[in-house]
Amino acid sequence: MKKIKTLLATVALALPIAVTPLAPAATLLANAATTKAALSTTETLVAATTVAKTTYHAARTGVPVDKIDFAADKSVATLTPTTKTVATKTTYSTTKTVDLSTGKKGAKSTTYVLLKTSDGTLVGWVKAANLTKGAYLAPKATGATKVAVKKTTPKKVTVKATPKQATTKKVSQKVTPKKVTKKDSAKTKLTAKKTTEKIVPTKATWLLLTKRTTPAKKAYTPTKTTPYYRAAFAADRPTVSLTKAGTLKTGTAYRATKAFYAKTSAKATAHEYVLLTGTGWTSTANLKTAK
């Protein structure tokens, strides 16, 4: 019996000692702490607008980029921070903006713009207040650099005076007259102004679509100068955008063929819009039944 007990003790000492799971558990907790998901907030969608192409750039580093998910059945949006930031010295563009509000009493809405790079790559939503309007322009050469160039140029040309060198100086003074430079700059300014005047952005108004319907078979006539619009219905959410297409003629009868009800916000009252033959969509608020 003593030999058997001695053998069992020897075998037990030869086995490896079990490692406690405290170290791996601590490591897992540390990893979990460093990989916390970004907190999302749900805010009220006040407005969604399509604007003319506008350029932006970041004047400072660290401007955050957010992700926004829009609800399909109500006017709310989920705002989630990302790890991306807007690069400096880069020009971005946008054609879409949204206004979000926390819904708290007295809270102002915040405008976000959907940024894209020059090659069309989507960046994400960024607060408009954190950006600077306009394309990024590289800084011009400083006055110190110009002075340094002038000082180094005479040193290279410092040679014994000869008749040929004097002739060269006279010719260089006659080249590039100041009058020609002024005319060219004036032409450039006029061309830039004309180009700017031709660009007329067309803004679209976004409405919350409540229902579509078939109107009564009757004719309408405008009570005053009334615009009509082109309508674009969103495929993934109950919204419709209206873009002005023209003006109805007073005293002319138009027949309605289609209709829908929409409102400017969740708390607003819905209004009826009808599609008039030969024109477009308009609100019935400025129409009356034609005789």
Side-chain angles (χ1 to χ4, degrees):
M1 289 298 291
K2 289 184 178 181
K3 290 183 179 181
I4 294 173
K5 289 181 180 180
T6 304
L7 180 61
L8 291 175
T10 305
V11 173
L13 292 173
L15 292 175
I17 299 173
V19 179
T20 59
L22 293 177
T27 305
L28 290 174
L29 289 174
N31 291 337
T34 58
T35 57
K36 282 186 178 179
L39 296 177
S40 299
T41 56
T42 301
E43 300 189 9
T44 302
L45 177 62
V46 179
T49 310
T50 300
V51 298
K53 186 176 181 181
T54 308
T55 55
Y56 286 93
H57 70 277
R60 59 182 177 84
T61 58
V63 175
V65 178
D66 297 313
K67 177 185 176 185
I68 300 179
D69 295 317
F70 300 93
D73 56 346
K74 50 187 175 180
S75 55
V76 296
T78 302
L79 184 67
T80 306
T82 68
T83 57
K84 296 191 295 183
T85 57
V86 181
T88 57
K89 301 180 181 180
T90 304
T91 299
Y92 298 93
S93 64
T94 186
T95 56
K96 294 183 179 180
T97 67
V98 294
D99 293 336
L100 302 181
S101 174
T102 59
K104 295 180 180 178
K105 186 176 180 180
K108 295 183 179 180
S109 60
T110 303
T111 301
Y112 290 81
V113 295
L114 183 60
L115 293 186
K116 289 184 179 180
T117 59
S118 57
D119 61 357
T121 302
L122 194 64
V123 178
W125 294 93
V126 181
K127 282 185 182 180
N130 292 338
L131 299 171
T132 303
K133 269 191 177 182
Y136 170 74
L137 298 175
K140 294 181 181 180
T142 60
T145 306
K146 292 181 180 179
V147 172
V149 173
K150 287 182 180 180
K151 287 182 179 180
T152 53
T153 304
K155 288 182 181 179
K156 292 182 180 179
V157 185
T158 304
V159 190
K160 290 183 179 180
T162 60
K164 289 183 180 180
Q165 288 178 350
T167 305
T168 305
K169 287 183 180 178
K170 289 181 181 180
V171 174
S172 63
Q173 290 175 357
K174 291 180 181 179
V175 178
T176 62
K178 292 182 180 179
K179 291 182 180 180
V180 176
T181 306
K182 289 182 179 179
K183 288 181 180 179
D184 291 343
S185 62
K187 289 180 180 179
T188 306
K189 290 180 180 178
L190 290 173
T191 305
K193 287 181 180 179
K194 289 180 180 178
T195 306
T196 307
E197 290 173 358
K198 289 181 181 178
I199 299 173
V200 181
T202 303
K203 292 185 178 181
T205 302
W206 284 86
L207 302 175
L208 298 176
L209 183 65
T210 58
K211 68 175 180 178
R212 297 193 192 188
T213 183
T214 302
K217 294 182 178 179
K218 60 181 180 180
Y220 292 95
T221 184
T223 58
K224 59 181 181 179
T225 303
T226 303
Y228 61 88
Y229 306 88
R230 293 192 305 271
F233 298 90
D236 57 345
R237 57 185 184 273
T239 56
V240 57
S241 67
L242 299 180
T243 306
K244 185 178 179 181
T247 306
L248 298 176
K249 296 180 180 179
T250 55
T252 304
Y254 302 91
R255 187 162 297 277
T257 58
K258 296 180 181 180
F260 68 82
Y261 286 83
K263 53 187 178 179
T264 56
S265 66
K267 296 181 180 179
T269 304
H271 294 279
E272 182 184 17
Y273 291 80
V274 292
L275 177 62
L276 302 180
T277 54
T279 57
W281 295 88
T282 189
S283 173
T284 56
N286 298 327
L287 302 177
K288 66 178 182 178
T289 304
K291 294 182 181 180

